[in-house]
């Protein structure tokens, strides 16, 4: 499908002048979505737009990411703050086509700012998208939309399987915070080993090398490799992750991130873990941390520490106690998890293949450039 290129202002109206930011303190709760650079921020009592729109991040967007988009679609009554450009498609372009063209736009050379990158309106006006006749636009939208629907379906399947395992956990062991079956409490130091992660130098970072897991690689208790670092240096054997290890964020500027975990499953290549991370080796504790709430664990670690935890140390973990079920029951749960993991494998494989297909379609049909290129 051949295409010519048109400037963004040729194919859509720029409605930035109608945006109105509201501080969290001044917002009145309501039913209308309040949008920012990367999506829904809140619900407010009034609206300023009622249309089919594409919102493009102005500052604080996912610029440069191949996984997280910088543009998204909104429909109907809503409020938009000044962190997102507001675009309304003109009749010559389909609104979904416009959105797909902008979601993963290469903004290199367009955004500025060291800590918080910004796509100014002047820079945005340099952006161009591939323009085709409406029939071709609708065909492309249909193809990409079908793949995205499959992605969402597979993602939902994976979430349901995780919920199934969590339900089985509760069925077998009960709520660990209440310990309804009266299991004996054991110190974590008696049933697990734990290590602090790898410290490496900037010059060790390499295109080819060992993956070093960091806090950004833990998403919803699972490993996410969208943002990975590799290093080329000598790494001690004990700092290499093993199957069924628990990866935990042990130090972070945000207290909310400290203590988040992921169970290591399906290792495909050698991996280590970073300096602000910790590996805990204990099968049942891994299940406990992955499939259940963190509140009781975090509360124990807080004891004797500051109100806001920004770091978890091995000494803090030494005094953590958990109710430990009989080994036979843990083995029964392990067998259930292994069976469920087989179903997750095929859903996950399909999920990643669909994401690759969506990426291919965008590259094939939506390759964009600036008007100066």
């Amino acid at each position: 499908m051949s295409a010519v290129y048109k400037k963004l202002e040729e194919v859509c109206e720029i409605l930035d002048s109608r945006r109105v930011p509201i501080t969290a303190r001044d917002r009145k709760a309501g039913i209308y979505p309040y949008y920012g650079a990367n999506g829904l921020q809140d619900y407010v009592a009034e609206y300023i737009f009622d249309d089919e729109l594409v919102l493009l991040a102005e500052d604080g967007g996912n610029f440069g990411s191949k996984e997280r988009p910088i543009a998204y679609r909104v429909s109907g009554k809503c409020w938009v703050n000044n962190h997102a450009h507001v675009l309304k498609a003109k009749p010559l372009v389909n609104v979904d086509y416009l959105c797909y063209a902008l979601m993963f736009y290469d903004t290199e050379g367009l955004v500025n700012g060291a800590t918080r990158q910004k796509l100014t309106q002047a820079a945005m006006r340099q952006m161009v998208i591939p323009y085709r006749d409406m029939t071709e636009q609708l065909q492309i939208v249909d193809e990409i939309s079908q793949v995205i629907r499959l992605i969402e379906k597979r993602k939902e399947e994976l979430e349901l399987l995780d919920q199934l395992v969590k339900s089985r956990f509760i069925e077998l062991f009960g709520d660990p915070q209440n310990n309804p079956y009266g299991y004996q409490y054991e110190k974590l130091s008696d049933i697990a080993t734990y290590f602090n992660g790898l410290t490496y130098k900037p010059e060790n970072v390499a295109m080819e090398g060992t993956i070093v897991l960091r806090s950004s690689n833990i998403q919803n208790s699972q490993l996410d490799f969208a943002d990975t670092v590799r290093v080329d240096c000598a790494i001690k054997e004990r700092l290499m992750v093993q199957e069924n290890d628990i990866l935990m964020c042990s130090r972070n500027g945000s207290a909310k991130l400290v203590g988040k975990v992921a169970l290591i499953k399906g290792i495909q290549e050698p991996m280590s873990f970073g300096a602000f991370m910790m590996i805990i080796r204990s099968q049942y504790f891994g299940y406990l941390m992955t499939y259940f709430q963190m509140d009781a664990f975090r509360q124990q670690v807080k004891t004797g520490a500051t109100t806001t935890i920004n770091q978890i140390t091995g000494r803090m973990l030494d005094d953590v106690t958990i109710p430990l079920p009989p080994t036979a029951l843990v083995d029964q749960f392990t067998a259930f998890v292994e069976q469920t993991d087989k179903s997750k494998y095929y859903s996950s494989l399909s999920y990643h293949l669909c994401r690759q297909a969506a990426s291919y379609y965008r590259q094939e049909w939506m390759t964009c450039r600036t008007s100066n290129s």
Side-chain angles (χ1 to χ4, degrees), residues 107-338:
T107 57
E108 185 178 357
L110 292 174
V111 294
N112 56 57
T115 56
R116 186 176 176 85
Q117 292 187 312
K118 182 170 183 176
L119 176 67
T120 65
Q121 188 175 130
M124 180 184 68
R125 290 180 182 275
Q126 297 179 43
M127 295 167 65
V128 298
I129 68 168
Y131 174 73
R132 299 173 170 88
D133 66 46
M134 187 59 70
T135 300
E136 288 183 321
Q137 288 183 40
L138 294 176
Q139 182 181 344
I140 290 171
V141 165
D142 182 61
E143 292 281 352
I144 296 179
S145 296
Q146 286 186 52
V147 176
I148 288 177
R149 284 193 293 271
L150 282 173
I151 291 172
E152 292 303 317
K153 185 176 181 181
R154 296 296 176 260
K155 184 178 179 181
E156 183 180 356
E157 287 176 358
L158 290 168
E159 290 171 351
L160 288 173
L161 286 168
D162 280 338
Q163 286 299 317
L164 178 64
V165 174
K166 184 175 179 179
S167 297
R168 183 62 172 158
F169 183 100
I170 297 297
E171 181 183 347
L172 288 177
F173 307 125
D175 182 341
Q177 295 185 41
N178 301 326
N179 193 17
Y181 301 133
Y183 298 133
Q184 183 173 339
Y185 281 86
E186 301 284 351
K187 278 192 173 185
L188 188 60
S189 56
D190 292 333
I191 63 172
T193 55
Y194 24 91
F195 312 95
N196 289 314
L198 173 72
T199 300
Y200 57 89
K201 299 177 180 179
E203 54 265 32
N204 296 138
V205 177
M207 293 295 293
E208 300 290 334
T210 303
I211 289 177
V212 178
L213 299 172
R214 302 171 297 162
S215 61
S216 59
N217 295 121
I218 302 178
Q219 300 293 333
N220 300 318
S221 297
Q222 296 183 357
L223 288 184
D224 185 317
F225 294 99
D227 180 24
T228 56
V229 165
R230 292 178 180 270
V231 299
D232 184 9
C233 61
I235 302 175
K236 294 179 180 178
E237 184 63 30
R238 70 185 185 89
L239 297 182
M240 301 300 291
V241 299
Q242 300 177 13
E243 197 79 6
N244 296 316
D245 278 352
I246 307 103
L247 177 70
M248 180 174 70
C249 176
S250 59
R251 181 179 175 185
N252 199 284
S254 170
K256 292 182 179 179
L257 299 180
V258 174
K260 70 175 184 174
V261 297
L263 185 65
I264 307 293
K265 299 290 289 184
I267 296 176
Q268 299 295 318
E269 61 176 297
M271 291 184 290
S272 184
F273 55 104
F276 296 156
M277 309 299 290
M278 187 177 286
I279 283 293
I280 305 175
R281 290 186 178 139
S282 169
Q283 187 177 51
Y284 175 71
F285 187 70
Y287 294 142
L288 177 66
M289 296 289 279
T290 306
Y291 298 117
F292 207 75
Q293 298 296 322
M294 291 285 301
D295 296 349
F297 166 74
R298 290 172 65 85
Q299 191 58 48
Q300 284 196 60
V301 177
K302 278 185 182 180
T303 303
T306 56
T307 304
T308 302
I309 300 178
N310 288 85
Q311 182 175 11
I312 294 176
T313 66
R315 182 170 294 181
M316 291 177 181
L317 293 181
D318 287 343
D319 293 327
V320 170
T321 60
I322 63 170
L324 187 64
T327 302
L329 208 57
V330 175
D331 290 343
Q332 183 180 341
F333 182 71
T334 299
F336 179 81
V337 171
E338 290 175 351

Side-chain angles (χ1 to χ4, degrees), residues 7-23:
K7 290 184 178 180
L8 208 52
E9 58 190 348
E10 293 182 84
V11 297
C12 63
E13 298 177 51
I14 301 172
L15 306 180
D16 288 6
S17 61
R18 291 171 52 186
R19 302 175 302 181
V20 180
I22 320 174
T23 63

Side-chain angles (χ1 to χ4, degrees), residues 57-78:
E58 177 172 348
D59 61 306
N62 303 310
F63 302 116
S65 172
K66 295 182 179 180
E67 302 290 334
R68 294 180 288 273
I70 61 171
Y72 59 98
R73 279 268 282 115
V74 299
S75 179
K77 298 179 174 67
C78 66

Side-chain angles (χ1 to χ4, degrees), residues 11-60:
V11 297
C12 63
E13 298 177 51
I14 301 172
L15 306 180
D16 288 6
S17 61
R18 291 171 52 186
R19 302 175 302 181
V20 180
I22 320 174
T23 63
R25 182 184 60 187
D26 294 333
R27 291 176 208 159
K28 295 181 180 178
I31 61 172
Y32 303 111
Y34 178 83
Y35 294 111
N38 299 311
L40 181 66
Q41 302 292 307
D42 205 346
Y43 286 92
V44 294
E46 300 179 35
Y47 63 92
I48 53 177
F49 294 101
D50 184 7
D51 217 327
E52 303 294 320
L53 303 170
V54 174
L55 304 186
L56 173 64
E58 177 172 348
D59 61 306

